[in-house]
Amino acid sequence: MLTLAWTYLKIGLIFFGGGYVLIPLLQHLLVDQYRWLTLREFLDGVAISQLTPGPLAMLATFTGVRVAGFGGGLVATICIFLPCVVLMLLVGKYYNRLKEIDLIRVTLDGVLPAVVGLVASAAWSLGTTLGSLHEWLLLIAAFCLFRWTSVNPMLMILGSGLIGMLL
Amino acid sequence: MTPTVTRQNPPVSLWEIFALFCKVGLTGFGGGMAIVALTERMVVQEKQWVTAEEFLHGLAFGQILGPFSLNTCTFVGYRLRGVAGGVLAAVGFLLPSFLIVSLLAWLYLRFQHLQLLKKALAGTNPVVIGLICAVVLDMGKKQVHGYSGWLLALSAFAAAALLQLNVALVLAAAVVWAFVRALYLRRLS
């Protein structure tokens, strides 16, 4: 449980660039390094966190529950969000004195290309789970729909679940 | 521990903060910016708890670490009622999704072996990857500019996907690089 807490705390501290960066971070640590869950289970977790309200970062809760039950989910959620909540409380306190906002902005804009690359690498390794031709066709179809229509991701995931049952 | 802002009207109760952010957490589908837009409508336009400008500052700082939807909520809570307000806003925001995700994860682990659920989830897998690809392209178009941006994006991809380096280290290195670059750009101007 301590390893779990420390792992999620570390991720919380290096959690730059919004929710999607969690996909490569968690995948690397939990699937490749600790082997706490399989790539398939991880992908199912991403689907579930897309289906539910709240930030995509709730993926941390799912993986925590998978690793150590309800308590694991609680510890994972608290640890991953603790650093940013504390930071925001400090920002709120010294808000009027923080004049370096431009520097922060430029730094963040500078990190974002790396985040894009890392999220792409997650898609790359998640793609290794796909075997059959119809899975690849489904991927391409989904990509095109997300790219060129404004269809709701939730509906798409539910719909693809139905397709999966029928196939 | 009251925040620096002096308000004429009576302070918002902690319960009210908790309840409102619970509502945001429960109805905030779609992640990230969709949630921030919802929060803005509730907190700035309907309740008028903070000004639009203050909210935008909170959002800007919120992008430093973690998910900015959560950070914006924490910031607004703090501005209203100090540390207690900030913590309650964060907990209220996360609680509904925490409970829902925990329940779904539990159901998933219990019924994972069922053939029908297996097939349904197998159907969602390629779609989730397709969604991630679409996000990459969308983020890439908006966030990656110029040679240095593309170089950074491609090196991060190569380091993580091909060389299998530690993702957290790659990200940390990118943060250091971006900070040094920001200092350098400021020196120039």
Side-chain angles (χ1 to χ4, degrees), chain B residues 121-155:
Chain B
L121 285 166
T124 66
N125 286 348
V127 172
V128 169
I129 302 175
L131 172 67
I132 298 173
C133 292
V135 167
V136 167
L137 212 70
D138 191 50
M139 278 176 87
K141 262 175 97 174
K142 282 187 205 140
Q143 316 289 7
V144 185
H145 309 287
Y147 290 121
S148 71
W150 280 106
L151 197 66
L152 186 59
L154 285 175
S155 348

Side-chain angles (χ1 to χ4, degrees), chain A residues 2-23:
Chain A
L2 268 178
T3 325
L4 184 83
W6 174 235
T7 305
Y8 282 92
L9 206 57
K10 266 193 301 193
I11 299 173
L13 281 169
I14 186 71
F15 187 177
F16 283 89
Y20 277 96
V21 77
L22 264 194
I23 297 177

Side-chain angles (χ1 to χ4, degrees), chain A residues 31-47:
Chain A
V31 182
D32 301 343
Q33 207 168 323
Y34 290 113
R35 297 181 194 283
W36 281 340
L37 65 169
T38 67
L39 212 48
R40 278 275 175 190
E41 288 173 324
F42 184 78
L43 258 179
D44 295 339
V46 180

Side-chain angles (χ1 to χ4, degrees), chain B residues 76-93:
Chain B
V76 172
Y78 182 86
R79 301 303 291 171
L80 292 170
R81 288 297 300 270
V83 172
V87 171
L88 275 178
V91 172
F93 174 64

